[in-house]
């Protein structure tokens, strides 16, 4: 199978195999990973490694803490403002996709939101680069890769001089390219795209920005409690964290972020070049903003789209149907997707174009 699913999505084959073994017999303990206590030394070692691999792969400085939390990225949409924004204060948000829009909606429950730029009117087909951030903003929130519409901020340094703490939803491009992660004060990512199994969130936060709001925060919602307890405040999503650890190990072994960035570049270049060379396909977003993770395109003759999807299915290619709000195609090229799969897809696109146009 060639799995281009947008999320949950493909993980490295060896991660599936290792995780499968651990469900039956974890590290030769005779017990399943699903039946051991989360406070055992065996699981603590998993959590420690999952945290330290993130620090290493992201090259984080000592101000940054790593957490594994429940609730998916959507929980971060409200947990972030709950921890960082007082009711009378302003937070700045970029509106570049449905996910960013949802984050804006949740932040409004906790304080004032100023939307500093939006491409909503243009159907989120480009990234608006002219914006100014109020100096009084408590933070600026961005979405680094826009999963549904297929745009990605290629030059993140645009945000580094905003003069306010920087918060990023990196759910769909975390650890896919070299970024100076220390420039961000808070990063979050649902695991099920580039990192591991659904059911856990990676959150990286600078200690400097925490503890400054005056509202009461429920114990489970306060980042500081999770940091203090090493993400073992309550029962963590044990298996999901384990799968993240295995995926992070794989990434390190494969040469880390620099090496995966190269492969991701190769995959996306091959696909975009194929789209641009075949008149029957058309990319849907501004070229300079094209995502290397989620490639969105349509057919000039939409009537043939289902026929193409059928042929894909016959060739073991799955998960390329566009989001229900956009139609067309969305091909997700997350870290674990091999270049070989992109070759199979682009070959089929070429032969389909020859036969039908
Ligand atoms: C998938 C996704 C989300 C939502 O993640 P959940 O874990 O389902 O809540 C949020 N933001 C981005 C950028 C995403 O790609």
């Amino acid at each position: 199978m060639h799995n281009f699913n947008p999320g949950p999505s493909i993980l490295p084959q060896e991660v599936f195999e290792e995780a499968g073994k651990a469900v039956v017999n974890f590290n030769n303990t005779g017990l399943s990973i699903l039946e051991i206590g989360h406070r055992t030394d065996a699981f603590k070692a998993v959590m420690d490694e999952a945290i330290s691999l993130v620090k290493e792969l992201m090259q984080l400085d000592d101000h940054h803490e790593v957490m594994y939390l429940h609730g998916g990225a959507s929980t971060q949409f409200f947990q972030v403002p709950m921890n960082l924004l007082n009711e009378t204060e302003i937070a700045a948000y970029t509106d570049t996709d449905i996910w960013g829009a949802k984050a804006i909606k949740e932040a409004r429950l906790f304080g004032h939101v100023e939307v500093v730029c939006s491409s909503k009117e243009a159907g989120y087909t480009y990234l608006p680069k002219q914006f100014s951030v109020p100096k009084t903003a408590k933070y600026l929130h961005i979405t680094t890769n826009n999963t549904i519409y297929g745009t990605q901020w290629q030059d993140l340094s645009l945000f580094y001089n905003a003069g306010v703490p920087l918060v990023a939803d990196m759910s769909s491009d975390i650890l896919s390219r070299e970024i100076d992660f220390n420039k961000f004060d808070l990063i979050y990512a649902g695991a099920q795209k580039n990192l591991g199994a659904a059911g856990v969130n990676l959150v990286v936060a600078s200690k400097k920005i925490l503890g400054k709001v005056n509202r009461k925060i429920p114990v489970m919602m306060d980042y500081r409690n999770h940091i203090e307890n090493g993400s073992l405040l309550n029962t963590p999503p044990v298996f999901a964290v384990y799968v993240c650890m295995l995926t992070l190990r794989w990434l390190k072994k494969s040469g880390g972020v620099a090496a995966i960035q190269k492969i991701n570049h190769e995959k996306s270049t091959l696909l975009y070049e194929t789209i641009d060379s075949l008149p029957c396909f058309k990319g849907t977003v501004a070229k300079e903003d094209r995502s290397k993770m989620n490639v969105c395109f349509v057919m000039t003759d939409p009537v043939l789209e289902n026929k193409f999807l059928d042929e894909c299915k016959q060739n073991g290619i799955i998960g390329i149907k566009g989001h229900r709000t956009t139609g067309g195609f969305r091909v997700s090229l997350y870290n674990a997707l091999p270049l070989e799969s992109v070759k199979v897809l682009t070959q089929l696109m070429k032969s389909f174009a020859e036969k039908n146009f």
Side-chain angles (χ1 to χ4, degrees), residues 71-75 77 99 143 145 147 169 171-172 190 192-193:
S74 302
T75 296
F77 294 163
W99 295 120
T143 312
N145 181 71
T147 325
D169 177 355
S171 291
S172 52
Q192 67 274 21
K193 281 143 193 164

Side-chain angles (χ1 to χ4, degrees), residues 71-143:
S74 302
T75 296
Q76 293 309 305
F77 294 163
F78 70 82
Q79 195 168 357
V80 165
M82 187 186 260
N83 278 268
L84 304 185
L85 185 64
N86 280 314
E87 238 175 285
T88 54
E89 293 170 336
I90 300 170
Y93 274 73
T94 54
D95 175 25
T96 53
D97 197 336
I98 289 170
W99 295 120
K102 287 188 185 201
I104 289 167
K105 198 167 167 218
E106 297 285 88
R108 289 200 166 117
L109 299 172
F110 296 92
H112 298 286
V113 170
E114 182 159 331
V115 177
V116 294
C117 62
S118 173
S119 52
K120 188 176 179 192
E121 295 307 314
Y124 293 126
T125 50
Y126 75 99
L127 293 173
K129 296 170 197 80
Q130 303 296 324
F131 55 85
S132 72
V133 178
K135 290 289 166 244
T136 51
K138 282 310 281 291
Y139 61 87
L140 167 64
H141 179 284
I142 67 167
T143 312

Side-chain angles (χ1 to χ4, degrees), residues 20-229:
K21 268 192 253 162
V23 168
V24 180
N25 182 2
F26 173 58
N27 281 355
N28 292 320
T29 54
L31 294 169
S32 165
I33 179 92
L34 301 177
E35 63 178 337
I36 61 167
H38 58 288
R39 303 203 185 278
T40 55
D41 287 344
F43 184 71
K44 271 194 196 147
V46 170
M47 184 60 94
D48 285 348
E49 189 175 343
I51 289 173
S52 66
L53 279 168
V54 168
K55 288 186 178 164
E56 186 183 339
L57 289 162
M58 289 191 175
Q59 299 175 27
L60 295 175
D61 63 28
D62 292 339
H63 300 297
H64 285 80
E65 299 282 352
V66 175
M67 290 164 266
Y68 285 92
L69 306 181
H70 298 264
S74 302
T75 296
Q76 293 309 305
F77 294 163
F78 70 82
Q79 195 168 357
V80 165
M82 187 186 260
N83 278 268
L84 304 185
L85 185 64
N86 280 314
E87 238 175 285
T88 54
E89 293 170 336
I90 300 170
Y93 274 73
T94 54
D95 175 25
T96 53
D97 197 336
I98 289 170
W99 295 120
K102 287 188 185 201
I104 289 167
K105 198 167 167 218
E106 297 285 88
R108 289 200 166 117
L109 299 172
F110 296 92
H112 298 286
V113 170
E114 182 159 331
V115 177
V116 294
C117 62
S118 173
S119 52
K120 188 176 179 192
E121 295 307 314
Y124 293 126
T125 50
Y126 75 99
L127 293 173
K129 296 170 197 80
Q130 303 296 324
F131 55 85
S132 72
V133 178
K135 290 289 166 244
T136 51
K138 282 310 281 291
Y139 61 87
L140 167 64
H141 179 284
I142 67 167
T143 312
T144 49
N145 181 71
N146 297 288
T147 325
I148 294 171
Y149 289 87
T151 59
Q152 182 179 37
W153 293 99
Q154 298 304 336
D155 180 10
L156 288 164
S157 71
L158 279 178
F159 302 106
Y160 295 163
N161 297 320
V164 303
L166 190 52
V167 175
D169 177 355
M170 295 195 186
S171 291
S172 52
D173 70 347
I174 188 98
L175 290 168
S176 71
R177 55 173 169 160
E178 286 189 292
I179 290 177
D180 187 349
F181 293 100
N182 291 311
K183 294 277 191 209
F184 294 81
D185 296 88
L186 195 144
I187 294 166
Y188 62 90
Q192 67 274 21
K193 281 143 193 164
N194 248 337
L195 215 53
V200 71
N201 256 329
L202 173 67
V203 179
V204 174
S206 159
K207 280 175 287 192
K208 291 179 192 167
I209 59 165
L210 302 178
K212 293 188 178 161
V213 286
N214 46 34
R215 76 171 52 82
K216 290 179 179 144
I217 304 177
V219 171
M220 280 296 289
M221 284 295 119
D222 191 327
Y223 293 124
R224 291 171 301 172
N225 296 331
H226 291 281
I227 292 169
E228 254 169 55
N229 289 277

